[in-house]
Amino acid sequence: MLTKKTFCYTLFLLLFFTTKAASAAVIKSPTDDRDYLAFTLPNQMKVLVISDPTTDKAAASVDVNVGSNANPENRLGLAHFLEHMLFLGTKKYPEADSYQQYISSNGGNHNAFTAFENTNYFFDIQADKLAPALDRFSRFFIEPLFTEKYVDRERHAVNSEYQSKLRDDGRRGFSAGKHVLNPAHSMSRFAVGSLETLSNDDGKLRDDLIAFYQRYYSANLMSLVVLGKEPVAQLKRLVEEKFSAVENRQAKPFISPVPLYRDLPEQQNIKTLQDLQQLTLTFPIQATRDYYREKPAQYIASMLGYEGKGSLLATLKNKGWANGLAAYRGNDLPDQSSIELSISLTDEGLKHSDQVIETTFAAIRLLQQKGVSEALYQEEQKISRIGFRFKEKSEPIHEVARLSHNLQLYPADSVISADYLMEHFEPELINNILEQMTPDNLLVTLQAKTVETDQQDPWFQAEYSVKPISSERLQKWAHPVTNPALQVRQLNPFIADQFDIKPVAHPQQKPERILQQGGYSLWHKQDQIFRLPKADFFFSVISDQANRTAENAVMTALYTKLVSDQLNETLYDASLAGLDTRIYPHMRGLSVRISGYDDKQQQLLTQVVNALQQAQFTQRRFTRIKENYAQELENSRRDKPFNQTIGEVYNLLLQSWNADKKLAALKSVTLEQLQSFIPQLLNGVEVRMLAHGNLTRDEALAMAQTVETGLPSAQKNANSHNLPVIMLPKDSELTQTLPLEHNDSAISVYFQGENSETKTRAEYILLSEILSTPFYSSLRTEQQLGYVVFATALPMRKAPGLAFVIQSPNTDPVGLETQINTFIDRMTGTLKAMNEQQLDSFKSSVISRINQKENRMGELSERYWQEIDRGDTNFDSREKLVTAVRELSLDDLLRCYTQLPERRLTVRSFGEQHRDQVDKKALEQNCDPEIARLKVEGQFVPEA
């Protein structure tokens, strides 16, 4: 009997595959209202144009099928350097900042990246500015200047980027890992570039740059994706006009025709700077790109990376050996690939790493024996098809960048659908890969602070060792002990069955408060925009106890981490089925967010609320989570210096506890203390809820009732629990110096608005728009002070702010601050000379950013949630801000800018190479006493 549900699903599949057979048109999701046209230009450039009449942002991306793989041996980093240089002027637009200025002054963003096999350039912009932007963009690939002075300057920027990552364990491990690769393969080489590899002493760097460009930057190796509001025919004409002049040099893609690995099995130990313990198992396998319709490697990764009941991770967690696990396809090259398992080890797991590996091989054997299942493959297939059927739009800039690379990998008709395809269950393909996942074909990589090493990577100075694996260990792994805790994955109970869009009884323009009683409030809006069978249900538990002391703050964090870990097996199943859950602490309490298909949300919510209220934690789980949290806090102190300076601005002005204070408090926290604290945390709280999406009013109220029943202690008179922002004193420059372990210096100079009025916020946002490009151009492109250079609006709740941020390998914070001050002084003249037309252009750009359309339901839910959090329950703060921006005059802007230095906070760190050049007093300067005094005196930004 053909049920209604079966009929609908069969009809969907029929439409899916009939569309594909009927023409070579691009296969798209049934819910996708964009138009697509794929074609090839006469110069053999592959093109996809996308028409979205509703978009407020246009975007484009060019993917070039060459990357660091093709770096000449005597010019390591040349591909990356070329990526930098293309931004710095073309014959038609010779100014070095012409492209950046046009994009940023029209509400846009731009970037690029160099990967091993490809280099990708992308931007977005106001939708009505696409044609001029494409004209500028296309010239990168037609007539770049490679101006000599910028060739010499920009190699310093590449070197700054390299220097800034020297203490990044991810980069260090990646670089050390190259030493176990086949040295004849180009992946084994340094790829970033430095002053040494990009030396210009003989003046030949520009010649080498042009030679590389002319060899590989050929239209036949390029793919282009353009998204705009115009019809596809018009977009096609625009592309033909702008990109037909790109030369086809008949270039051939670069491939290293040798195996990536040659001496397996081996173990590499890599010493880390951060407190982390990571075990990675890499299995080289056959090339898998041609199997994108079957995805055998992805099936294996999904089975081994499963986190539910009976999984490898669940087994390792129960032993106290692991905190996390990821399985994925690793290197994916045209002629070879790999599968990797990466396991985050506990201290005990590090001691038992061989047993962890043995358990992993037991899981692989179980998968071979019982896990290559048509039923499980069909479940994966079903999840993928549902995901494609209800695929949401992503931001245009991300969409074009992804699709331009996909055009290099897949036929044009499958450029969107390829990532979702699982057409045929082919057990032979799966088993063939599993047969390659043996101890004899294994690279073990163990990263920790305590591992023994005997070599050093010359590029990132990471200490490492490479040793063969003994026959005894290999024998043990080849015949692992059967572990009864390991089970084949069961079918998923959270996969949605109902996809009906519910009728709207009461159309709404914005969320409405449909519940306000005791300490509970619920805001609800049934979606009429995205029309998908999805919903977001958020609730926040606001408690005076959450952040009262550093000890309370870490116990609140431990509580959320323990609940998440306790629920992990359930939450992982739900996540696979498209139903995601986040449980996290914040300065006023904790929040839970459930997002995805609405069909099983009530079922999941009940389990989450029950776990919050009836939290029962074992000592083993507590010890493991506490240890992991301590590592997180310890490692946050080794974050990039510029990130830490920005973070300290927030810590000081929002009075949050920094990592040092949290670590000190965490040491003494016991399980008994935590269990005593939880009832205090949940007593007399306020609970705010938002239900948005495919949920009726009654369904939203039922979910709120679940929360109310599970958390029954909300206070009768809800307190607003405001989060005050310290008001910086007028004409009193405060400085905080951080003692960071890094070679680079960093600085964040923060200016605070005098109030939280909408007009003041508008002034600061507009100033950020005006200042960001010239700040970057002057201090990075021209002065080469560092790779990280930016000016940005930095609001704290409703308190407006503006920050100037630099991380530098060559200048100490005192010198950086001098240059920032000089820039600020110089820009006064620029603002005084600005005319109304220029001001209107900046206003238009700012307004386009403020009004940027949400592409996904979750983005709109996020905006509603922020407005609820800030008390803007008319949900019109964007409209008010836009009105305020429109009404600003040149006099308003100049007055605000003149007053900018009145409330100033500087957070800085001296790089290790710069500390000898300053006195000890400068290194110890801090403003903690002044901030503490302001807090005691109640000096806060009004209504922030």
Side-chain angles (χ1 to χ4, degrees):
M1 179 180 176
L2 191 66
T3 65
K4 181 179 178 182
K5 184 173 77 174
T6 307
F7 174 76
C8 291
Y9 189 61
T10 305
L11 180 61
F12 160 66
L13 293 180
L14 184 63
L15 287 170
F16 184 100
F17 291 111
T18 302
T19 302
K20 181 181 171 185
S23 72
V26 176
I27 301 166
K28 64 178 187 176
S29 166
T31 58
D32 188 347
D33 58 4
R34 292 167 168 167
D35 288 331
Y36 297 83
L37 178 65
F39 58 96
T40 302
L41 291 174
N43 60 10
Q44 296 306 300
M45 181 183 289
K46 296 184 285 290
V47 183
L48 175 69
V49 292
I50 307 169
S51 173
D52 184 351
T54 66
T55 192
D56 57 350
K57 284 290 179 75
S61 171
V62 166
D63 192 89
V64 189
N65 193 18
V66 68
S68 61
N69 57 349
N71 283 331
E73 287 191 58
N74 66 337
R75 279 294 189 202
L76 302 182
L78 190 62
H80 181 212
F81 181 53
L82 172 56
E83 172 223 304
H84 277 237
M85 285 302 304
L86 285 192
F87 288 90
L88 298 177
T90 62
K91 286 183 182 177
K92 188 171 182 179
Y93 303 99
E95 298 83 4
D97 66 346
S98 173
Y99 172 74
Q100 294 95 315
Q101 181 70 45
Y102 188 80
I103 297 293
S104 63
S105 64
N106 286 286
N109 305 278
H110 63 86
N111 213 329
F113 63 84
T114 303
F116 178 69
E117 278 193 290
N118 66 302
T119 308
N120 197 289
Y121 302 83
F122 49 92
F123 73 86
D124 67 6
I125 199 163
Q126 292 177 46
D128 58 354
K129 303 292 185 182
L130 175 61
L134 271 185
D135 194 52
R136 288 163 171 79
F137 187 53
S138 65
R139 311 319 286 184
F140 287 14
F141 312 102
I142 300 169
E143 51 180 19
L145 286 178
F146 300 126
T147 306
E148 184 63 57
K149 72 172 182 177
Y150 290 118
V151 168
D152 199 56
R153 285 184 192 175
E154 198 61 22
R155 70 191 191 94
H156 286 84
V158 171
N159 188 66
S160 292
E161 182 177 354
Y162 159 54
Q163 294 285 324
S164 72
K165 307 290 173 55
L166 285 175
R167 299 185 71 84
D168 182 314
D169 273 319
R171 292 298 186 106
R172 290 165 59 84
F174 183 70
S175 187
K178 291 175 178 287
H179 296 279
V180 296
L181 301 181
N182 183 348
H185 199 288
S186 63
M187 191 178 281
S188 68
R189 301 174 195 150
F190 176 62
V192 183
S194 67
L195 288 177
E196 178 187 346
T197 67
L198 301 173
S199 170
N200 198 29
D201 293 342
D202 54 7
K204 290 184 179 179
L205 181 56
R206 184 173 186 271
D207 294 340
D208 293 343
L209 193 67
I210 292 171
F212 188 92
Y213 178 84
Q214 291 180 343
R215 180 173 179 180
Y216 294 111
Y217 273 55
S218 173
N220 70 303
L221 294 187
M222 295 180 186
S223 55
L224 166 68
V225 176
V226 176
L227 185 153
K229 64 181 181 179
E230 298 81 0
V232 290
Q234 188 175 338
L235 291 170
K236 183 184 181 200
R237 287 194 298 272
L238 186 60
V239 165
E240 290 169 339
E241 176 189 332
K242 305 299 182 187
F243 287 89
S244 291
V246 178
E247 187 175 347
N248 181 2
R249 300 182 170 95
Q250 304 295 332
K252 291 186 174 16
F254 183 95
I255 296 177
S256 286
V258 295
L260 191 55
Y261 299 91
R262 65 174 190 175
D263 295 320
L264 301 184
E266 282 185 323
Q267 176 165 335
Q268 182 179 40
N269 291 347
I270 302 173
K271 187 168 288 188
T272 62
L273 299 176
Q274 290 192 333
D275 188 9
L276 63 85
Q277 288 131 198
Q278 200 76 20
L279 173 68
T280 303
L281 308 181
T282 301
F283 299 94
I285 61 170
Q286 68 200 59
T288 60
R289 281 190 185 176
D290 290 345
Y291 303 121
Y292 68 91
R293 296 182 182 279
E294 296 82 14
K295 294 188 172 54
Q298 287 90 328
Y299 175 84
I300 292 169
S302 180
M303 295 299 119
L304 292 175
Y306 180 61
E307 298 182 16
K309 185 178 179 182
S311 65
L312 173 58
L313 177 61
T315 302
L316 295 175
K317 277 186 172 183
N318 288 336
K319 286 278 192 180
W321 290 347
N323 285 307
L325 180 149
Y328 47 90
R329 188 172 61 173
N331 296 309
D332 176 35
L333 303 178
D335 58 339
Q336 53 197 306
S337 187
S338 68
I339 286 182
E340 296 186 10
L341 287 88
S342 186
I343 303 167
S344 175
L345 299 176
T346 62
D347 290 346
E348 282 300 303
L350 184 61
K351 295 174 188 173
H352 294 86
S353 58
D354 271 21
Q355 290 97 317
V356 171
I357 296 172
E358 183 181 356
T359 307
T360 301
F361 276 108
I364 293 171
R365 185 177 65 182
L366 180 65
L367 179 57
Q368 285 177 301
Q369 293 172 344
K370 299 180 181 178
V372 184
S373 154
E374 187 166 11
L376 286 172
Y377 186 90
Q378 287 174 347
E379 182 177 88
E380 292 275 317
Q381 186 181 62
K382 182 178 181 181
I383 290 170
S384 290
R385 285 177 171 168
I386 293 171
F388 185 72
R389 178 182 173 187
F390 299 110
K391 180 181 180 296
E392 292 189 77
K393 292 179 181 178
S394 59
E395 283 190 48
I397 193 170
H398 298 144
E399 187 83 343
V400 296
R402 183 180 67 84
L403 292 178
S404 67
H405 185 51
N406 276 7
L407 264 182
Q408 304 275 22
L409 302 175
Y410 308 118
D413 67 339
S414 303
V415 68
I416 304 171
S417 60
D419 294 331
Y420 296 84
L421 292 175
M422 291 190 78
E423 290 183 353
H424 310 292
F425 175 57
E426 299 283 358
E428 298 83 6
L429 287 176
I430 297 169
N431 283 316
N432 182 262
I433 293 173
L434 285 169
E435 286 167 6
Q436 299 170 65
M437 296 177 67
T438 66
D440 290 329
N441 186 41
L442 170 66
L443 171 64
V444 176
T445 305
L446 186 60
Q447 299 183 71
K449 292 179 75 172
T450 56
V451 294
E452 293 184 4
T453 60
D454 54 18
Q455 299 182 67
Q456 187 178 67
D457 169 48
W459 300 110
F460 284 80
Q461 290 79 56
E463 296 178 31
Y464 71 94
S465 63
V466 181
K467 305 286 184 188
I469 300 173
S470 70
S471 58
E472 291 80 14
R473 296 170 76 200
L474 293 174
Q475 202 49 29
K476 197 166 180 100
W477 298 342
H479 302 91
V481 174
T482 301
N483 191 323
L486 291 170
Q487 300 173 23
V488 173
R489 190 173 103 186
Q490 301 299 302
L491 295 179
N492 194 321
F494 288 102
I495 297 176
D497 298 308
Q498 299 297 324
F499 303 106
D500 295 335
I501 307 301
K502 293 151 192 171
V504 178
H506 172 55
Q508 301 163 262
Q509 295 301 312
K510 59 186 181 181
E512 296 175 359
R513 185 160 50 197
I514 61 172
L515 173 68
Q516 174 86 66
Q517 62 183 31
Y520 301 94
S521 58
L522 169 66
W523 297 85
H524 168 253
K525 182 176 183 288
Q526 190 171 346
D527 170 64
Q528 298 170 264
I529 299 171
F530 300 96
R531 307 287 295 164
L532 292 169
K534 298 181 179 183
D536 293 312
F537 186 84
F538 302 165
F539 67 90
S540 185
V541 179
I542 301 171
S543 168
D544 282 334
Q545 294 296 323
N547 204 50
R548 179 165 287 176
T549 65
E551 187 176 71
N552 284 16
V554 298
M555 285 195 290
T556 303
L558 281 172
Y559 172 51
T560 59
K561 290 174 181 294
L562 281 158
V563 170
S564 296
D565 190 75
Q566 179 179 304
L567 284 167
N568 188 63
E569 293 178 10
T570 297
L571 299 185
Y572 192 81
D573 275 334
S575 178
L576 286 179
L579 195 51
D580 295 317
T581 305
R582 284 182 59 209
I583 306 169
Y584 60 93
H586 50 74
M587 288 190 64
R588 295 187 294 166
L590 63 99
S591 287
V592 175
R593 300 188 183 199
I594 299 177
S595 301
Y597 299 106
D598 61 273
D599 184 27
K600 307 288 174 71
Q601 275 201 14
Q602 176 67 70
Q603 174 185 334
L604 181 60
L605 175 66
T606 301
Q607 292 180 253
V608 171
V609 172
N610 286 343
L612 284 168
Q613 183 61 27
Q614 301 166 15
Q616 295 295 323
F617 309 127
T618 64
Q619 183 63 50
R620 171 176 277 181
R621 191 191 299 270
F622 174 80
T623 301
R624 177 170 56 81
I625 295 298
K626 180 181 174 180
E627 174 192 304
N628 192 49
Y629 182 35
Q631 287 180 353
E632 284 179 22
L633 292 171
E634 188 67 47
N635 292 338
S636 72
R637 303 194 299 183
R638 294 183 175 86
D639 194 5
K640 299 177 183 69
F642 82 92
N643 275 342
Q644 293 200 61
T645 62
I646 295 171
E648 185 68 3
V649 173
Y650 281 98
N651 286 340
L652 290 169
L653 299 185
L654 290 174
Q655 313 136 70
S656 55
W657 307 102
N658 63 27
D660 288 339
K661 290 173 182 171
K662 286 181 179 178
L663 273 168
L666 181 63
K667 285 179 182 176
S668 61
V669 172
T670 64
L671 177 57
E672 292 71 24
Q673 279 179 284
L674 178 64
Q675 288 171 332
S676 298
F677 171 73
I678 293 169
Q680 299 172 37
L681 177 70
L682 299 180
N683 183 51
V685 296
E686 178 188 354
V687 180
R688 298 176 185 174
M689 295 171 276
L690 169 67
H692 173 230
N694 193 38
L695 293 171
T696 65
R697 176 189 175 96
D698 287 345
E699 287 170 330
L701 286 169
M703 293 179 81
Q705 183 61 47
T706 299
V707 176
E708 194 170 345
T709 302
L711 300 170
S713 59
Q715 59 187 24
K716 295 196 180 296
N717 297 308
N719 189 319
S720 62
H721 296 281
N722 285 331
L723 188 62
V725 180
I726 294 285
M727 171 70 91
L728 293 173
K730 207 169 180 179
D731 300 323
S732 176
E733 296 183 8
L734 301 179
T735 299
Q736 184 86 336
T737 307
L738 304 179
L740 307 184
E741 294 179 17
H742 203 284
N743 204 45
D744 287 2
S745 289
I747 191 168
S748 289
V749 179
Y750 169 82
F751 299 98
Q752 187 181 63
E754 61 182 355
N755 56 54
S756 59
E757 293 174 5
T758 305
K759 179 180 179 181
T760 309
R761 288 189 281 141
E763 289 168 344
Y764 272 69
I765 292 170
L766 188 53
L767 281 174
S768 172
E769 188 76 15
I770 293 168
L771 297 171
S772 59
T773 297
F775 183 71
Y776 177 91
S777 179
S778 175
L779 279 74
R780 185 192 181 280
T781 305
E782 299 296 336
Q783 298 181 46
Q784 289 294 332
L785 292 180
Y787 174 66
V788 177
V789 177
F790 61 92
T792 183
L794 200 70
M796 295 189 191
R797 297 187 61 76
K798 293 182 182 179
L802 184 63
F804 297 86
V805 182
I806 306 175
Q807 180 173 320
S808 175
N810 53 46
T811 307
D812 70 29
V814 176
L816 295 176
E817 191 163 9
T818 298
Q819 293 302 326
I820 290 171
N821 292 339
T822 301
F823 172 82
I824 291 170
D825 292 342
R826 190 173 72 245
M827 284 301 295
T828 303
T830 302
L831 287 171
K832 286 180 177 177
M834 186 176 289
N835 59 42
E836 291 290 343
Q837 186 178 357
Q838 291 170 317
L839 180 63
D840 286 344
S841 175
F842 283 116
K843 285 182 178 181
S844 174
S845 181
V846 165
I847 289 169
S848 76
R849 295 186 198 278
I850 296 170
N851 282 336
Q852 184 166 345
K853 183 181 176 183
E854 289 87 5
N855 291 290
R856 296 169 178 260
M857 185 189 298
E859 294 170 3
L860 186 54
S861 298
E862 177 69 33
R863 174 155 67 88
Y864 290 152
W865 192 233
Q866 287 182 2
E867 301 241 47
I868 291 168
D869 180 59
R870 293 169 184 165
D872 294 322
T873 51
N874 287 322
F875 300 96
D876 60 355
S877 61
R878 289 209 311 188
E879 291 77 7
K880 287 179 178 177
L881 193 56
V882 166
T883 299
V885 170
R886 286 200 175 107
E887 292 175 352
L888 288 177
S889 67
L890 284 168
D891 287 341
D892 290 330
L893 209 58
L894 194 56
R895 175 195 51 77
C896 179
Y897 192 73
T898 304
Q899 295 174 351
L900 200 64
E902 290 182 356
R903 302 182 193 277
R904 174 176 179 146
L905 170 63
T906 299
V907 180
R908 64 192 187 182
S909 69
F910 286 85
E912 291 169 354
Q913 62 178 325
H914 299 140
R915 289 174 195 163
D916 293 339
Q917 303 162 22
V918 295
D919 60 38
K920 187 177 179 184
K921 195 172 180 181
L923 295 175
E924 296 175 351
Q925 186 174 355
N926 73 75
C927 59
D928 288 325
E930 290 93 335
I931 294 293
R933 176 179 56 79
L934 293 169
K935 180 180 178 181
V936 170
E937 293 174 357
Q939 298 294 320
F940 302 123
V941 179
E943 299 181 9

